[in-house]
Amino acid sequence: RQHVVLVMHWPQITAMRNEAPSAMHRDLPTLICAYNDTVRLLLSGHLHKATVWGQLCGVPSITLPAVRYNAQNWQVLELASDGGWRLAGFGAKTRNHSRCSDVFAFDRERPCGAYEKDYEGRDVGSCGWPSSDAAEEAGFAVADIDGPKDVPSQDVFNPSGACRWKFARAYMHACRGGASEACCSVLEPAFLPASGAPFAGCLCQRDMWDSVVSWFDAHSDFSAAAVMLACVDEYGKRILFTGGPIGFCEAEPWSGDGHGAASRKLPGPDNAEDAARRAG
């Protein structure tokens, strides 16, 4: 039996539901679920930030950062004959899941062959602001947003880090009174699955969605799901969210840690970080 890594430009969260209703497999998620004993990993791009989405019928789904932003956005994917895999050092290398990556060196002697890349100097890159540095993120604030006129421009706010609730919660403020044109017009461009959106597709990420649900429970008389659904049905907004009618968010959370944990164990260190070190 062959093992498959499915590499796509668009992430699985954007897949159209019931795309071919008369076909044996009516859409991409249905096809993946039918062959989840063969498909081991979904890799995608388009959104330009390193993001771990969760899993679809047991198949982990991960978006890789785009090489246009800095020279270090290459990743090392280890594959084993039994279907095991590992993105070596993924979380740390991508600067805690962001638009840019760091230079890493990998031990040539490591089982399954992770190869060292010649050190060429650290390319700072064009990664956005604030950067994904923990101190810089902690010192950056987004004021509560009441309507579209309050949304910060990309010149002011263009975060490097993917799916940061610390910043996204300011956008929820416009919806505390329920769905409205102002509320939905704030949410759509912020969470649209497009590379220029600050939280591209992030309502499909389980941790972010759980935070949104908790925020609405604490600050609004309306549930998060009710607000998002009204934005889609009543205001015609293209908002992907967990359990929503547009796109295909992950069906269940993934137990992987985002730092290279494999769907199946590979020989060698249990933690990929033990085998990777920063160069220079």
Side-chain angles (χ1 to χ4, degrees), residues 143-173:
D144 286 343
I145 295 169
D146 288 320
K149 63 180 178 57
D150 301 322
V151 175
S153 70
Q154 275 198 334
D155 292 335
V156 176
F157 178 62
N158 183 19
S160 179
C163 299
R164 300 303 204 249
W165 170 243
K166 167 182 166 57
F167 305 131
R169 62 188 173 192
Y171 290 69
M172 302 298 128
H173 194 72

Side-chain angles (χ1 to χ4, degrees), residues 75-266:
Q75 311 297 324
V76 174
L77 174 63
E78 301 175 79
L79 301 172
S81 59
D82 69 347
W85 60 268
R86 177 163 38 227
L87 276 168
F90 182 65
K93 188 180 191 303
T94 58
R95 303 181 189 174
N96 190 24
H97 306 109
S98 75
R99 190 179 277 124
C100 289
S101 298
D102 276 329
V103 172
F104 263 52
F106 297 92
D107 186 355
R108 291 181 183 275
E109 302 302 318
R110 187 176 176 197
C112 298
Y115 295 102
E116 182 178 0
K117 183 178 187 300
D118 293 336
Y119 179 68
E120 297 175 355
R122 185 176 187 273
D123 173 23
V124 176
S126 176
C127 306
W129 45 88
S131 75
S132 59
D133 176 76
E136 187 169 335
E137 286 190 338
F140 194 96
V142 178
D144 286 343
I145 295 169
D146 288 320
K149 63 180 178 57
D150 301 322
V151 175
S153 70
Q154 275 198 334
D155 292 335
V156 176
F157 178 62
N158 183 19
S160 179
C163 299
R164 300 303 204 249
W165 170 243
K166 167 182 166 57
F167 305 131
R169 62 188 173 192
Y171 290 69
M172 302 298 128
H173 194 72
C175 302
R176 65 195 184 282
S180 65
E181 180 62 37
C183 155
C184 302
S185 294
V186 167
L187 294 182
E188 183 187 42
F191 292 92
L192 197 68
S195 59
F199 315 107
C202 289
L203 295 179
C204 278
Q205 192 187 58
R206 188 54 61 98
D207 288 345
M208 175 71 87
W209 179 245
D210 288 346
S211 296
V212 171
V213 169
S214 296
W215 188 93
F216 275 93
D217 287 346
H219 298 283
S220 175
D221 293 331
F222 301 87
S223 72
V227 170
M228 303 303 165
L229 188 59
C231 285
V232 174
D233 287 346
E234 298 176 25
Y235 294 93
K237 304 300 183 182
R238 297 167 297 164
I239 299 177
L240 278 68
F241 65 95
T242 301
I246 300 178
F248 204 101
C249 296
E250 84 279 4
E252 53 193 1
W254 178 38
S255 60
D257 62 8
H259 291 264
S263 57
R264 283 189 174 183
K265 288 288 186 182
L266 287 177

